[in-house]
Amino acid sequence: MITPLANENELDVPGLERLINHIIAGGVHGLFILGTTGESTSLSYEIRHELVKRTCEIVDGRVPVLVGITDTAATESLRLADTAAHSGAAAVVAAPPYYFSLGQPELIEYYEYLVERLPLPLFLYNMPSHTKIVIEPDTVKTLSQYDNIVGLKDSSANNAYFNKVMTKMSDRQDFSLFVGPEEIMAESVLLGAHGGVNGGANMFPALYVELFEAAASGDMETVKKLHGIVMQISTKMYSLGQFGSSYLKGIKGALSLLGICSDYMASPLHRFREKEREVLAAQLKQIQQQL
Amino acid sequence: MITPLANENELDVPGLERLINHIIAGGVHGLFILGTTGESTSLSYEIRHELVKRTCEIVDGRVPVLVGITDTAATESLRLADTAAHSGAAAVVAAPPYYFSLGQPELIEYYEYLVERLPLPLFLYNMPSHTKIVIEPDTVKTLSQYDNIVGLKDSSANNAYFNKVMTKMSDRQDFSLFVGPEEIMAESVLLGAHGGVNGGANMFPALYVELFEAAASGDMETVKKLHGIVMQISTKMYSLGQFGSSYLKGIKGALSLLGICSDYMASPLHRFREKEREVLAAQLKQIQQQL
Amino acid sequence: MITPLANENELDVPGLERLINHIIAGGVHGLFILGTTGESTSLSYEIRHELVKRTCEIVDGRVPVLVGITDTAATESLRLADTAAHSGAAAVVAAPPYYFSLGQPELIEYYEYLVERLPLPLFLYNMPSHTKIVIEPDTVKTLSQYDNIVGLKDSSANNAYFNKVMTKMSDRQDFSLFVGPEEIMAESVLLGAHGGVNGGANMFPALYVELFEAAASGDMETVKKLHGIVMQISTKMYSLGQFGSSYLKGIKGALSLLGICSDYMASPLHRFREKEREVLAAQLKQIQQQL
Amino acid sequence: MITPLANENELDVPGLERLINHIIAGGVHGLFILGTTGESTSLSYEIRHELVKRTCEIVDGRVPVLVGITDTAATESLRLADTAAHSGAAAVVAAPPYYFSLGQPELIEYYEYLVERLPLPLFLYNMPSHTKIVIEPDTVKTLSQYDNIVGLKDSSANNAYFNKVMTKMSDRQDFSLFVGPEEIMAESVLLGAHGGVNGGANMFPALYVELFEAAASGDMETVKKLHGIVMQISTKMYSLGQFGSSYLKGIKGALSLLGICSDYMASPLHRFREKEREVLAAQLKQIQQQL
């Protein structure tokens, strides 16, 4: 889930409520807040804690809430996890610390430190483009021995990696394996992944739920049709502008065009200017006609 | 196809003949020589030219032969392409030059330079881990306008990338899209890729052909079963030793254990020592029992 | 300056006082806290704010205090800068945000956002190995036009880069250019840098001050002698253990052996175990004999 | 030394002769051909061998000739080394193979393979931006135990690295340590490097020789003056155009403007177009006025 912002220091609270209800109405099986798409690392801690509380209140038990606690400072991760536990979240999600470069043994020690202190189950979050480190398949295997480490969200887009993890974890169907980039959700679920964490579901939740269900049940015809629309969204709406953040700008811009919430982005990112917004509006219309 | 070597400066010619016949007997639809798995960049030019000639002779038209001409020096690529054309090869394959770092416009100019001089159709070869540059989806689109550029082999293992390329090229069913790492062949073909270029097919060609056909026809049950075996090969046979080349050492070692050809590797790589060879033999046996 | 810690959530306050007095007694011209060596990104915000206040109190105007405010969240940077201003610090220092990957125009906008809101002058901090982005020489030039951006600390260790920045800024002697890694301080100052920010000065402040002064005055004989000792420290004390953090572990371990402060390190890093500590003690003794 | 080319497949032989005589007249202590600046990896092998022969003939013993043999195929390196030995070259220079990614033990084995077969002494060549691997200081130390490995050329521009190597090799004054980027030659020689390998010396050999001699003798006043001119060349002549190759385009363009040799560049690089050439001409004039 993206984080609706009124400005740098304030949530767009009405927008947050509309967004959550919109997403849940689309049938999603859970809500992941404060991930990369949620701009978590750009938000003040006050906003992060407030978002956890308000989201859990608005969701009110309708679906499980997963809370990103990725941080360079373990104590801040733990503080946020406490707020998550008190607010009724189901689990927390942590990518490796992303300032110092660690080796795999150091990474294992880091997760051990966390998990011994966490009040909620933990999902590992593989995000090498942002954290400069891969959680190697053998590291996932090692860490899965902790009862409180319950799954992995992989946002590497590297399916050779993901398939290796799935193979090594094939004896542990209770260990959840999710993929990040929506472009690869269909094929990953076809081969056994337990789900996708898709930014596009902020805009069109039902589309991604249906694609997941088609993939999980092996309905190739529906998979191909819906995956085709997901790829239209990816190539048309996530590629305006020249920087890495165009994906996020596209989603927030579209949500604003759809009247759901503000497209304000926290520093260091910025929402689209008028010119890109117009192109985005045209492409959004084109996508909507296919749904 | 790997390159059977008697030593640094000599092909293992009987091994080459056995290997080619073994692979073709497995039903493959084509043979790709002098790729990364073929250690092309480690071979003397004399051996490269000789391999092209001998392979085409041995294949003798049974399947199309694709010849890797990846080089930092365009004139050497062209020289090898001439040998390929004279020997009866079907096409050539070229990754970006891998010493100087290029921008996308420079990369386009490079391929334009090549294609204007090539006697055979060209496949692009995306291999960013080795060449330090991605052939961006829009660059593929631009280059596909040349009649003589007929496809792409993507070895990035990044399926978000590959799905974007497939989407952008969806109006060009005549432009062939192949994936490299065998770990992702099944899912890529399920979603529309035209084939896989799989190192493991040196050992077990029929397995990969059957997996391809199951995926192309949407037979999910067979896909899951055979993909499972492919992943056993990947996680058990390609991960001995601590360096990036363990995949290649595993394949060559297994071919030697199977009595097909020598496992000699050209500098800077080295075949497994006795200890790893023993572990590999045990794992090979395990895999064979599943086939 | 390193951050003396009693444990994950508590400063080693007596150690902090001893450390600051030890460093100032060595004659340093300023104190930089909450940099990479200060483990800033690993500390809770409570500790970061407390460290700023306590340091400024202990220093009590004897030397200027520079406060690192590097953060992925601009609002947290600004909050820390406010504490710095109220505590009497002289300036703040900010590396680029290190989670999202930015382009240079986005980076310029980021610093513009900061500088318009900062209560203190700002030093740019180039640290590409940790932040995944270089502050390009032309970006430094552009940003130097803001009155409140007063200098650059470069920790890239790339002296071709640093010399380009020095050349481009040669008309602005009021813009301070400092280098990070102590291994290159001597040569950088010889060619015009205004100073070094050296982790080793936590242990041996006078050595680094004397080396700086010898370099600034062009006394090559002293430079060579003292630079030789600095390089002994670098190659002997910063290279135990196998990970990138061995530099920091060496300094904290030595300060503990010297009786100055605790060697506790915040997660995700860890102090040396007994075995490395013994080797470090031997090498520390060897260095001390040369001083 | 750059490689003067008439076209993709032909040396500019009269230009080569003028260039060599121009450089030697400037007082250089040696000539390094077929390095990165010599576009070695872009040239056909026929041209590489021809260049070695012709260069040695033209030089005719006036200065030692060092020949780059960097290659992904060790047998081609050895073949070129044989030509170098027969032509009367003094030594060869080899960067790590740059297609497969190696670990340090594999890198050591690679150099051992080479050195056991080489007819001439070998310089190591550290060039991580192009080869994807650093020759770690301890690897240099290990390899220096071979009698026939006589030095290192470091083009990393990382002076922390270079100072560590100098410190580890300080007991071996017979092991030559050279730096690549001319922007850091002055400071490196001031602290003990044995020389620089400077692309700019193709244009202005006397300038770089004088700078080297000033640095070697500790004449800081001359160093600062001449280093300032070198940095003008770097920031004005090497930064036209937007790609990594602008340095090389600048040198070849200037040599053409000076009437010394052709500015043709081998694929995948291209010489400047008219517009950049005009800017370059103006900046060349400006530099010449300072000499």
Side-chain angles (χ1 to χ4, degrees):
Chain A
M1 193 178 89
I2 62 100
T3 302
L5 293 169
N7 58 54
E8 198 76 21
N9 291 304
E10 206 180 337
L11 288 175
D12 167 13
V13 177
L16 177 65
E17 187 155 1
R18 278 193 300 272
L19 177 63
I20 291 173
N21 290 332
H22 168 69
I23 294 174
I24 293 179
V28 302
H29 307 112
L31 214 53
F32 173 37
I33 62 172
L34 290 175
T36 305
T37 299
E39 294 171 87
S40 67
T41 59
S42 307
L43 304 175
S44 77
Y45 284 83
E46 202 181 317
I47 287 190
R48 294 188 214 188
H49 286 263
E50 186 191 348
L51 179 72
V52 173
K53 286 180 211 155
R54 286 194 186 269
T55 299
C56 289
E57 276 168 29
I58 297 168
V59 170
D60 196 21
R62 287 179 285 174
V63 295
V65 175
L66 281 72
V67 175
I69 59 167
T70 301
D71 210 293
T72 54
T75 53
E76 295 297 344
S77 295
L78 294 173
R79 222 162 52 81
L80 201 57
D82 280 342
T83 297
H86 287 126
S87 306
V92 294
V93 184
Y98 44 95
Y99 188 71
F100 289 114
S101 290
L102 304 180
Q104 297 291 314
E106 291 178 314
L107 187 60
I108 290 172
E109 285 185 57
Y110 166 76
Y111 278 119
E112 288 173 341
Y113 179 91
L114 268 196
V115 80
E116 285 163 9
R117 288 161 180 79
L118 278 176
L120 287 174
L122 172 68
F123 283 82
L124 308 175
Y125 183 0
N126 188 44
M127 186 60 165
S129 61
H130 290 58
T131 64
K132 298 172 289 188
I133 184 170
V134 173
I135 310 178
E136 294 290 355
D138 284 338
T139 299
V140 175
K141 185 86 188 171
T142 300
L143 289 170
S144 71
Q145 290 160 7
Y146 288 86
D147 282 350
N148 226 15
I149 299 186
V150 297
L152 168 77
K153 182 198 171 206
D154 173 32
S155 291
S156 69
N158 183 323
N159 280 34
Y161 165 87
F162 189 70
N163 279 321
K164 282 177 201 163
V165 173
M166 283 207 287
T167 300
K168 280 179 192 278
M169 300 304 298
S170 57
D171 56 341
R172 282 284 307 276
Q173 277 306 308
D174 59 318
F175 192 85
S176 298
L177 295 172
F178 298 149
V179 284
E182 56 205 73
E183 291 87 351
I184 59 171
M185 197 257 281
E187 65 201 272
S188 302
V189 172
L190 278 170
L191 291 183
H194 303 102
V197 184
N198 300 327
N202 283 279
M203 303 179 289
F204 311 115
L207 168 65
Y208 293 83
V209 172
E210 283 165 35
L211 176 54
F212 165 75
E213 283 167 359
S217 66
D219 171 0
M220 280 306 298
E221 201 179 330
T222 306
V223 164
K224 280 186 184 173
K225 189 183 141 221
L226 300 184
H227 173 69
I229 301 175
V230 166
M231 290 310 303
Q232 290 300 319
I233 292 169
S234 170
T235 51
K236 297 234 164 91
M237 297 181 64
Y238 297 167
S239 60
L240 302 171
Q242 58 174 314
F243 299 116
S245 51
S246 51
Y247 148 76
L248 200 40
K249 288 172 184 169
I251 294 179
K252 278 207 150 176
L255 288 170
S256 159
L257 288 163
L258 291 166
I260 292 175
C261 63
S262 157
D263 63 351
Y264 186 90
M265 297 188 76
S267 171
L269 303 179
H270 296 277
R271 61 178 139 197
F272 279 140
R273 292 183 177 83
E274 195 48 43
K275 200 178 130 195
E276 286 111 343
R277 196 174 155 92
E278 279 167 24
V279 181
L280 183 67
Q283 298 188 327
L284 175 60
K285 197 164 288 178
Q286 236 184 316
I287 299 293
Q288 286 177 306
Q289 284 161 354
Q290 295 179 53
L291 292 176
Chain B
M1 193 178 89
I2 62 101
T3 302
L5 293 169
N7 58 54
E8 198 76 20
N9 291 302
E10 207 181 335
L11 288 175
D12 167 12
V13 177
L16 176 66
E17 188 155 0
R18 279 193 299 272
L19 177 63
I20 291 173
N21 290 331
H22 168 68
I23 295 174
I24 292 180
V28 302
H29 306 113
L31 214 52
F32 173 38
I33 61 172
L34 291 175
T36 304
T37 299
E39 295 172 85
S40 67
T41 58
S42 308
L43 305 174
S44 77
Y45 283 84
E46 202 181 317
I47 287 190
R48 294 187 213 185
H49 287 264
E50 187 192 348
L51 178 72
V52 173
K53 285 179 211 157
R54 286 192 186 269
T55 299
C56 289
E57 275 169 29
I58 298 167
V59 170
D60 196 22
R62 287 179 284 173
V63 295
V65 175
L66 281 72
V67 175
I69 59 167
T70 302
D71 209 293
T72 54
T75 54
E76 295 296 345
S77 295
L78 293 174
R79 223 162 52 81
L80 201 56
D82 279 342
T83 297
H86 287 127
S87 306
V92 294
V93 185
Y98 44 95
Y99 189 73
F100 289 114
S101 290
L102 304 180
Q104 295 291 313
E106 291 178 314
L107 187 60
I108 290 172
E109 283 186 60
Y110 167 75
Y111 278 118
E112 287 174 342
Y113 179 91
L114 268 196
V115 81
E116 284 163 11
R117 288 162 180 78
L118 278 176
L120 287 175
L122 172 69
F123 283 82
L124 309 174
Y125 183 0
N126 188 45
M127 187 60 165
S129 61
H130 290 59
T131 64
K132 297 172 290 187
I133 184 169
V134 173
I135 310 178
E136 295 289 355
D138 285 337
T139 298
V140 176
K141 184 87 187 171
T142 299
L143 289 170
S144 70
Q145 290 160 8
Y146 287 86
D147 282 349
N148 227 16
I149 300 186
V150 297
L152 168 77
K153 182 199 171 203
D154 173 33
S155 291
S156 69
N158 183 321
N159 280 33
Y161 165 87
F162 189 70
N163 279 321
K164 282 177 202 165
V165 173
M166 282 208 287
T167 301
K168 280 180 192 278
M169 299 305 299
S170 57
D171 56 341
R172 283 285 306 278
Q173 278 304 309
D174 59 318
F175 192 85
S176 298
L177 295 172
F178 297 149
V179 285
E182 57 205 74
E183 290 88 350
I184 59 172
M185 197 257 283
E187 64 202 273
S188 303
V189 172
L190 278 171
L191 292 183
H194 303 103
V197 184
N198 299 328
N202 283 280
M203 304 178 289
F204 311 115
L207 168 66
Y208 293 84
V209 172
E210 284 166 33
L211 176 53
F212 165 75
E213 282 167 359
S217 66
D219 171 2
M220 280 306 299
E221 201 177 330
T222 307
V223 164
K224 280 185 184 173
K225 189 183 141 221
L226 301 183
H227 173 70
I229 301 175
V230 166
M231 290 310 303
Q232 290 300 319
I233 293 170
S234 169
T235 51
K236 297 233 164 91
M237 297 180 65
Y238 297 167
S239 59
L240 302 170
Q242 57 176 314
F243 299 115
S245 51
S246 51
Y247 146 78
L248 200 40
K249 289 173 182 166
I251 294 178
K252 278 206 150 176
L255 288 171
S256 160
L257 289 163
L258 291 166
I260 293 175
C261 63
S262 158
D263 62 352
Y264 186 89
M265 297 188 76
S267 170
L269 304 178
H270 296 276
R271 60 179 140 195
F272 280 139
R273 293 182 176 84
E274 197 47 44
K275 199 178 132 195
E276 286 111 342
R277 197 174 153 90
E278 279 167 23
V279 181
L280 183 67
Q283 298 188 328
L284 175 61
K285 197 164 286 177
Q286 234 184 317
I287 298 293
Q288 285 177 306
Q289 285 162 353
Q290 297 179 50
L291 290 176
Chain C
M1 192 177 89
I2 60 99
T3 302
L5 292 169
N7 57 54
E8 199 76 21
N9 290 304
E10 207 181 335
L11 288 176
D12 167 13
V13 177
L16 177 66
E17 187 155 2
R18 280 194 297 273
L19 177 63
I20 291 173
N21 290 332
H22 168 68
I23 295 174
I24 293 180
V28 302
H29 307 113
L31 214 53
F32 172 38
I33 61 171
L34 291 175
T36 303
T37 300
E39 294 171 88
S40 67
T41 58
S42 307
L43 304 174
S44 77
Y45 283 84
E46 202 181 317
I47 287 190
R48 294 188 213 187
H49 286 264
E50 185 191 349
L51 179 72
V52 173
K53 285 180 211 155
R54 286 193 186 270
T55 299
C56 288
E57 276 169 28
I58 297 167
V59 170
D60 196 21
R62 288 179 285 174
V63 294
V65 175
L66 280 72
V67 175
I69 59 167
T70 301
D71 210 294
T72 55
T75 54
E76 295 296 345
S77 294
L78 293 174
R79 221 161 55 79
L80 201 57
D82 280 342
T83 297
H86 287 127
S87 305
V92 293
V93 184
Y98 44 95
Y99 189 72
F100 289 114
S101 289
L102 304 180
Q104 296 291 315
E106 291 178 314
L107 187 60
I108 290 172
E109 284 186 57
Y110 166 75
Y111 278 118
E112 288 173 342
Y113 180 91
L114 268 195
V115 81
E116 284 163 12
R117 288 161 180 79
L118 279 174
L120 287 174
L122 172 69
F123 283 82
L124 308 174
Y125 182 2
N126 188 45
M127 187 59 163
S129 61
H130 290 58
T131 65
K132 299 171 289 188
I133 184 170
V134 172
I135 310 178
E136 294 290 354
D138 284 338
T139 298
V140 175
K141 185 86 188 170
T142 299
L143 289 170
S144 70
Q145 290 160 9
Y146 288 86
D147 282 351
N148 226 16
I149 300 184
V150 297
L152 168 77
K153 181 197 172 206
D154 174 32
S155 291
S156 70
N158 183 323
N159 280 33
Y161 165 87
F162 190 70
N163 278 321
K164 283 177 202 166
V165 173
M166 283 209 287
T167 301
K168 281 180 191 278
M169 300 303 300
S170 58
D171 56 341
R172 283 284 306 277
Q173 278 305 309
D174 59 318
F175 192 86
S176 298
L177 296 171
F178 298 149
V179 285
E182 57 205 72
E183 291 88 351
I184 60 171
M185 197 257 281
E187 64 201 274
S188 303
V189 172
L190 278 169
L191 290 183
H194 303 103
V197 184
N198 300 328
N202 283 280
M203 303 178 289
F204 311 114
L207 168 67
Y208 293 84
V209 171
E210 283 165 35
L211 176 54
F212 165 75
E213 282 167 1
S217 66
D219 171 0
M220 280 306 299
E221 202 178 329
T222 307
V223 164
K224 280 186 184 173
K225 190 182 142 223
L226 301 183
H227 173 70
I229 301 174
V230 165
M231 290 310 304
Q232 290 300 318
I233 294 169
S234 169
T235 51
K236 299 235 164 90
M237 296 180 65
Y238 297 167
S239 59
L240 302 171
Q242 58 175 314
F243 299 116
S245 51
S246 51
Y247 148 77
L248 200 40
K249 288 172 182 167
I251 293 179
K252 278 206 150 176
L255 288 170
S256 159
L257 289 163
L258 291 166
I260 293 175
C261 63
S262 158
D263 62 352
Y264 186 90
M265 297 189 76
S267 170
L269 303 179
H270 296 277
R271 59 179 139 196
F272 279 139
R273 294 184 174 82
E274 196 48 44
K275 199 178 129 194
E276 286 111 341
R277 197 174 153 91
E278 279 167 24
V279 181
L280 183 67
Q283 297 187 329
L284 175 61
K285 197 165 286 179
Q286 235 185 317
I287 298 294
Q288 285 177 307
Q289 285 160 354
Q290 297 179 51
L291 292 177
Chain D
M1 193 178 89
I2 62 102
T3 302
L5 293 169
N7 58 54
E8 198 76 20
N9 291 304
E10 207 181 335
L11 288 175
D12 167 13
V13 177
L16 177 65
E17 187 155 2
R18 278 193 299 272
L19 177 63
I20 291 173
N21 290 331
H22 167 69
I23 294 173
I24 293 180
V28 302
H29 307 112
L31 214 53
F32 173 38
I33 61 171
L34 290 175
T36 305
T37 299
E39 294 171 87
S40 68
T41 58
S42 308
L43 304 175
S44 76
Y45 283 83
E46 203 182 316
I47 287 190
R48 294 187 212 186
H49 286 264
E50 187 192 347
L51 179 72
V52 174
K53 286 179 211 158
R54 286 193 185 270
T55 299
C56 289
E57 275 170 28
I58 297 168
V59 169
D60 196 22
R62 287 179 283 173
V63 295
V65 176
L66 281 71
V67 175
I69 59 167
T70 302
D71 210 293
T72 54
T75 54
E76 294 297 345
S77 295
L78 294 173
R79 223 162 50 83
L80 201 56
D82 279 342
T83 297
H86 288 127
S87 306
V92 293
V93 184
Y98 44 95
Y99 189 72
F100 288 114
S101 290
L102 304 179
Q104 296 292 313
E106 291 178 313
L107 187 59
I108 290 172
E109 284 186 58
Y110 166 76
Y111 278 118
E112 287 174 342
Y113 180 90
L114 268 196
V115 80
E116 284 163 12
R117 288 161 180 79
L118 278 175
L120 287 175
L122 172 68
F123 283 82
L124 308 174
Y125 183 1
N126 188 45
M127 186 59 165
S129 61
H130 290 58
T131 64
K132 298 172 289 187
I133 183 170
V134 173
I135 310 176
E136 294 290 356
D138 284 338
T139 298
V140 176
K141 185 87 187 171
T142 300
L143 289 171
S144 70
Q145 291 159 9
Y146 288 86
D147 282 350
N148 226 15
I149 300 186
V150 298
L152 168 77
K153 183 199 171 205
D154 173 32
S155 291
S156 70
N158 183 322
N159 281 34
Y161 165 87
F162 190 70
N163 279 322
K164 282 177 201 165
V165 173
M166 282 209 286
T167 300
K168 280 179 191 279
M169 301 303 301
S170 58
D171 57 341
R172 281 285 306 277
Q173 278 305 308
D174 60 317
F175 192 85
S176 298
L177 295 171
F178 298 149
V179 284
E182 56 204 74
E183 291 87 352
I184 59 171
M185 197 257 280
E187 65 201 272
S188 303
V189 172
L190 278 169
L191 291 183
H194 303 103
V197 184
N198 300 327
N202 283 280
M203 303 178 290
F204 311 114
L207 168 65
Y208 293 84
V209 172
E210 284 165 34
L211 176 54
F212 165 75
E213 282 167 0
S217 66
D219 171 0
M220 281 306 298
E221 201 178 329
T222 307
V223 164
K224 281 186 183 173
K225 190 181 141 221
L226 300 184
H227 173 69
I229 300 175
V230 165
M231 289 310 302
Q232 290 300 319
I233 293 169
S234 170
T235 50
K236 298 234 163 90
M237 296 181 65
Y238 297 165
S239 59
L240 302 171
Q242 57 175 313
F243 299 115
S245 51
S246 52
Y247 148 77
L248 200 41
K249 289 172 183 167
I251 294 179
K252 277 207 150 176
L255 288 170
S256 160
L257 289 163
L258 291 167
I260 293 175
C261 63
S262 158
D263 61 352
Y264 186 90
M265 297 189 77
S267 171
L269 303 179
H270 296 277
R271 60 179 139 197
F272 280 139
R273 293 183 177 82
E274 197 48 44
K275 199 177 132 195
E276 285 111 342
R277 198 174 152 90
E278 279 167 23
V279 180
L280 183 67
Q283 298 187 328
L284 175 60
K285 197 164 286 177
Q286 235 185 317
I287 298 292
Q288 286 178 306
Q289 285 161 354
Q290 296 179 51
L291 292 176

